[in-house]
Amino acid sequence: MCAQRMEVYKHNEEVISASEVIDSAMVSSLERTSPKSPWTPKTPWGKFSPSSGRDDHPKKAGPDGKGNWGGLLDNEADNFCDPKDLNSEEEPTSSSSKPSLDLEEFKKKARVIIEEYFTTDDIMSTANELKDLGCPSYHHYFVKKLVSMAMDLHDREKEMSAVLLSTLYAEFIDPPQVYKGFCKLVESADDLSVDIPDAANVLAIFVARAIVDEILPPAFLTKQSETLPPESKGIELIKRASKSYLSAPRHTDNLLRKWGGSKNITVNDVKIRINDLLMEYIVSGDKAEARRCIKDLNVPFFHHEIVKQALILAMERRSAEGLILDLLKVVHEEGAINASQISKGFNRLIDHVDDLSLDIPSARNLLQLLISKAASEGWLCVSSLRSFGKQVEDDIATKNFKVNATSIIKEYFLTGDVLEVISSLETVKYFPAVAQPNAVFVKKLITSAMERKNREKEMASILLSSLRLPAEDVALGFRMLIESVEDAALDIPAIVEDLGMFLARAVVDEVLPPSSLDEVEVAACVICESMGAKVLQLSRSALKARLSGERILRCWGSSGAGTMGSDINDVKDKIMKLLEEFDSGGDVREACRCIKELGMPFFHHEVVKKALVVIMEKKNDHLWGLLRECCSIGLITPDQMLKGFGRVADGFDDLVLDVPDVEEQFRMYVERAKREGWLNASYSAIAVDNGEVP
């Protein structure tokens, strides 16, 4: 039976690779002609999926409402990166470096890796072997080969393939390569059906599962249906994926269990498994088995929980202390639990030692004894531990404040009443002994929103912008979030993407200055390749993208509590109307209120631009007074003022048709703005002579 199955593999390889030979010679050409993902952010999502608990890099939780990115990812026109578009700031994804292997060698080695994976079920070993091949431009062949081999095997191999793709996504295989691999699978559906009669149905499940796991965008189905022949198997599988699998009730759960169930685990699941392995170890004393169980958990970022539970067990069962310390020493020496996780486990126990004393009266003395023994044996660095008296977030006052803050946030999510939140927060945030109440509230607000749907995420961003908290307090709140991101990942699978977008949104809404990202990174001691680093990387990439403000503004759709989802053209019309109303005799306070109610501080440069154009066209300084008032009260920031002047300079070629002396007037108003303190003294209008943006 195995020999027969391997023959089928070989035959499938020959069938599928008919188009691959051409691809090898024309990789860059295919990048231009094959369907591209309209949904590829410059910084890819993490790779934790609902189908896998094997990795600590979260990805969103699926299309069932929680964790979707709304307009940012569903808007094809905004996110499609055309390699022919010279105005695009985003570079098309392609590999310009020469692969270390030719295509045929890569295919042979990829097949061996896949066969070994089906035997061992070792994801990390498979990922490392694929990475060692050093051929990222061929990874779409790996995707196609993995799925095509699994299609003719049992459900176990199909589930393993789905889990592997979800785990490798972004970290080891770039999103465009995954997208391209599935494109080629769909194109090969007719050939695959020759040897696998139900190929269309099986491949439809793989495509639907990939969309649920969010390694493919939903737009993949539409894009493919536009490029395939009407009577092809590819069209058939696209229709099945859309109508039979993705449109069915509870389709997410059904797809995740299609081949044997999801491997997703929660924090409580992990804690129970940790307790079980420790109890079993105390009974058996088998260190090798305990080490194997720790490895099988595959949650290296959560190993501090093992340390914490082990220490509590040692204090509760004095006779087991020696066994527990021996195990911790061995796993540390072998690298199964690193020094950082060891220290974190001890610190967590230090922070809760007073609570623990209620159940174990001598907990403080026993913990001090365990620290001394661990330090004397060389597997604990005492300098990395906090003192017993330092308990910032978990003292009684802070706990009470958190309870009250949670209540305020829940009520806000129900009512959307920003003023009520401000009033309530003023009452509770000055509890005695509460350290950094604003930062704690920011952390609690964003954490609560990340556990909910897009509506609450949008409302949280609006509230954060409306509270006008000091930037340093907001930055501290984000720092606390980044420091705890690994612990929160099990409960919030999409935390990297959500938190990264919250951080970018705070910059766009001018709640934080752009420099805060660097400050948070330094203050939080973010390690390269950690989840915190990925959060910051995603934020920076989102902010650098073309039309970043508009995209980030729509990241959670228009379901929020304000006008944040408004179309940009509508906003421009509103700005023009309020300026015309003010110019015809309106009240300056009313105009400022209307500008503020737009809820788009990142777009205030449009107010400056349109006001300047009207001033120069009509040679009437009435609107200049509005700009002066907006600047004096901080409604329009210097950065937005500078950007507005720059936009006017950019439009000289069009403006000169209606205002022949536009350049002379512009220079005059630049100097006037500098005298009034709106623009930096170093700002110069000379650059506009050459058509440059000032």
Side-chain angles (χ1 to χ4, degrees), residues 332 338-344 346-347 350 370-386:
H332 173 265
N338 62 39
S340 173
Q341 292 292 309
I342 293 282
S343 297
K344 193 170 184 178
F346 272 93
N347 278 326
I350 289 172
L370 293 173
I371 291 173
S372 299
K373 289 183 178 180
S376 64
E377 292 176 1
W379 52 275
L380 174 65
C381 178
V382 178
S383 62
S384 64
L385 301 182
R386 291 192 281 269

Side-chain angles (χ1 to χ4, degrees), residues 224-264:
Q224 288 300 296
S225 63
E226 294 172 354
T227 62
L228 296 168
E231 302 301 323
S232 66
K233 289 287 185 181
I235 289 293
E236 179 185 341
L237 79 87
I238 291 296
K239 290 180 179 178
R240 286 194 184 188
S242 176
K243 296 180 180 179
S244 299
Y245 295 115
L246 292 174
S247 299
R250 298 182 59 83
H251 63 273
T252 300
D253 291 339
N254 292 337
L255 284 167
L256 293 178
R257 293 178 172 82
K258 188 71 178 178
W259 294 316
S262 169
K263 296 183 179 181
N264 188 35

Side-chain angles (χ1 to χ4, degrees), residues 21 52 112 186 194 226 228 238 245 260 298-299 312 329 394 441-442 458 470 473 478 537 548 564 663-664:
V21 175
S52 173
V112 172
V186 173
V194 174
E226 294 172 354
L228 296 168
I238 291 296
Y245 295 115
N298 201 23
V299 286
I312 292 175
K329 179 180 179 181
D394 293 295
F441 183 81
V442 169
E458 178 70 13
D473 289 353
F478 276 102
Q537 183 184 10
S548 60
M564 291 296 193
E663 293 190 23
E664 290 75 10

Side-chain angles (χ1 to χ4, degrees), residues 566-630:
S566 301
D567 183 83
I568 293 301
N569 290 328
D570 292 341
V571 176
K572 289 181 178 180
D573 290 341
K574 290 178 181 178
I575 290 173
M576 198 66 228
K577 288 178 181 177
L578 75 87
L579 291 178
E580 290 172 352
E581 182 178 343
F582 175 78
D583 197 38
S584 62
D587 180 68
V588 66
R589 292 184 179 179
E590 177 65 17
C592 290
R593 184 187 65 80
C594 291
I595 294 172
K596 184 176 181 180
E597 286 184 352
L598 289 173
M600 303 177 74
F602 78 93
F603 204 58
H604 284 171
H605 58 80
E606 186 70 17
V607 177
V608 179
K609 172 191 168 184
K610 289 190 179 297
L612 285 173
V613 170
V614 173
I615 289 169
M616 291 189 290
E617 285 179 344
K618 295 185 176 182
K619 292 183 170 57
N620 183 340
D621 286 358
H622 189 206
L623 283 172
W624 190 264
L626 175 61
L627 293 181
R628 179 187 295 115
E629 179 67 14
C630 290

